[in-house]
Amino acid sequence: MIFQEKHLVKAIAAIAAAGGSSPEEAGLVAGNLVMANLTGHDSHGIGMMPRYVEALLEGGLQPNAQLEVKLDGGSLLALDGRAGYGQSIGLQATRLAIERARKHGVAIVALGNSHHLGRIGHWAEMAVAEGLVSMHFVNVQSFARVAPFAGADRRFGTNPVCIGVPLPGEPPFLLDMATSAVAQGKLRVAHNKGAKIPQGWLIDSDGNPTQDPRWGVLQPLGAMLTTGEHKGYGLAVACELLGGALTGGGVTDHDNKTRRRVLNGMFSIVLDPARFGTQQAFAKDAKSFLAWLRASRPAPGHDRVRIAGEPERETRAQRLKEGIPVDEETWKEILAAAAKLKLAPERIEALARV
């Protein structure tokens, strides 16, 4: 199934509005989710909407919430997202971080208790567009999904790390990665497509490696593995301590088997690189290093060396031209979510296919 961006945004916005969001917030939610699909991160795209609807209905997601400033120390901010849509809370927090980094040279922001912040790269893109460097450490309070290194059961979430660096004369370096071997949503997408997954992503409920994504989607759940074994595990724990404990938003310290909310804490550092006075050296060295990097001979099965951010930009250009693919099972789940909010599925179909 292929959809065009603007029509898909209208359809998803209608569902968010039916859940109580203002037109502005509904547009933010829909635009953010569809942008994730455009960049190829379908795991963070419109397939999240059914989960959001379930969280709305159980009271774990609060529409139209406004960011609460708990501490304003100039370049140091402590914020509470009040369980609001992360697409709105993340925007509010990032705007504050950019403003303070411009004023003070750096902003250190501890954001707790936001509902799902979506693709963290979205917030880094905002910072680099203003010429700022940004780093983000995020914890995910939801169902425990990921096993610790040397462990055989679930103990924490996919806990992403994101780093954005503006580059002179070309698009930015934008690393946006889960500390798990794969984003959980990719297991859902694979399961909906009936596809196998690579070895090293998942273990079953007995701790054995598996290529069947059902162990990451259906009960009884297995556990996802961390990327890079003990190295990804170390980063995941850092995200829990910084994004969860330090922000005051809370950590994953029990197995939530029922609640559908997805709460994030995000510890962010946003800084103005111009304050270092190294612009000329940075421009020279960045250009030299990237040229050296890209001159590497392509390995078998690859066309060339890329840096983080390039695959997403290529996918975005392709999908803007050719449309956004959505598997039939994900679309059925979205229509069912609309029905739960008393919104006729036919209405969503009509909006999406105009």
Side-chain angles (χ1 to χ4, degrees):
M1 303 173 69
I2 304 295
F3 298 90
Q4 296 302 311
E5 175 196 15
K6 63 180 180 179
H7 303 316
L8 207 50
V9 168
K10 289 180 181 178
I12 300 303
I15 298 175
S21 289
S22 67
E24 179 183 8
E25 181 175 82
L28 286 175
V29 172
N32 182 288
L33 293 177
V34 172
M35 181 57 73
N37 287 104
L38 276 175
T39 58
H41 290 277
D42 296 324
S43 58
H44 289 64
I46 62 172
M48 289 299 301
M49 202 64 214
R51 183 79 175 269
Y52 292 174
V53 169
E54 291 175 337
L56 282 169
L57 293 174
E58 73 172 15
L61 168 57
Q62 304 301 319
N64 307 312
Q66 295 300 304
L67 192 67
E68 180 183 356
V69 178
K70 308 286 285 187
L71 169 71
D72 187 344
S75 63
L76 192 67
L77 292 164
L79 310 173
D80 190 302
R82 302 172 68 189
Y85 268 110
Q87 287 78 8
S88 173
I89 296 299
L91 179 65
Q92 296 173 54
T94 303
R95 283 174 172 168
L96 263 179
I98 289 171
E99 173 198 326
R100 298 306 172 85
R102 281 279 181 227
K103 182 176 181 180
H104 301 287
V106 64
I108 299 175
V109 181
L111 169 64
N113 196 36
S114 171
H115 203 263
H116 186 238
L117 284 163
R119 184 177 68 94
I120 305 304
H122 191 88
W123 316 122
E125 284 172 347
M126 285 180 61
V128 295
E130 298 293 327
L132 303 173
V133 171
S134 74
M135 293 168 274
H136 310 268
F137 301 86
V138 183
N139 85 319
V140 183
Q141 293 179 67
S142 177
F143 301 115
R145 294 288 188 187
V146 186
F149 180 69
D153 56 9
R154 299 170 290 115
R155 283 294 179 266
F156 48 82
T158 53
N159 293 10
V161 171
C162 182
I163 301 171
V165 183
L167 298 174
E170 67 172 279
F173 171 88
L174 191 69
L175 175 67
D176 182 12
M177 55 172 271
T179 52
S180 54
V182 64
Q184 194 278 330
K186 285 187 169 66
L187 300 178
R188 170 178 48 77
V189 171
H191 180 260
N192 287 348
K193 290 181 177 178
K196 286 187 175 182
I197 58 172
Q199 290 281 6
W201 282 13
L202 194 62
I203 54 178
D204 64 21
S205 58
D206 293 321
N208 299 309
T210 179
Q211 290 185 278
D212 186 347
R214 71 169 295 276
W215 291 103
V217 180
L218 303 177
Q219 297 288 351
L221 288 171
M224 299 163 66
L225 297 173
T226 54
T227 187
E229 299 183 327
H230 62 286
K231 298 177 182 179
Y233 167 53
L235 278 175
V237 174
C239 286
E240 203 72 46
L241 296 175
L242 295 174
L246 188 59
T247 65
V251 295
T252 304
D253 58 3
H254 66 285
D255 190 8
N256 168 31
K257 295 181 179 179
T258 58
R259 302 197 70 178
R260 300 295 290 175
R261 69 183 186 185
V262 188
L263 293 179
N264 287 150
M266 180 166 70
F267 181 78
S268 302
I269 302 170
V270 180
L271 59 92
D272 183 354
R275 298 294 186 102
F276 291 107
T278 59
Q279 297 99 311
Q280 288 186 345
F282 177 78
K284 174 180 175 293
D285 286 344
K287 182 178 180 180
S288 173
F289 173 68
L290 292 174
W292 168 250
L293 198 67
R294 288 165 172 156
S296 174
R297 288 181 292 110
H302 298 271
D303 61 340
R304 64 184 178 89
V305 170
R306 291 169 172 80
I307 64 168
E310 285 187 274
E312 288 85 351
R313 289 188 286 270
E314 292 172 2
T315 302
R316 186 180 307 179
Q318 180 183 0
R319 291 187 172 185
L320 279 171
K321 180 180 178 181
E322 300 175 2
I324 298 170
V326 179
D327 67 89
E328 291 189 12
E329 186 60 33
T330 295
W331 189 243
K332 288 178 182 177
E333 291 174 359
I334 289 170
L335 296 180
K340 291 178 182 178
L341 297 176
K342 313 301 181 187
L343 191 61
E346 295 80 10
R347 172 64 175 158
I348 301 303
E349 286 275 15
L351 288 169
R353 297 183 182 280
V354 171

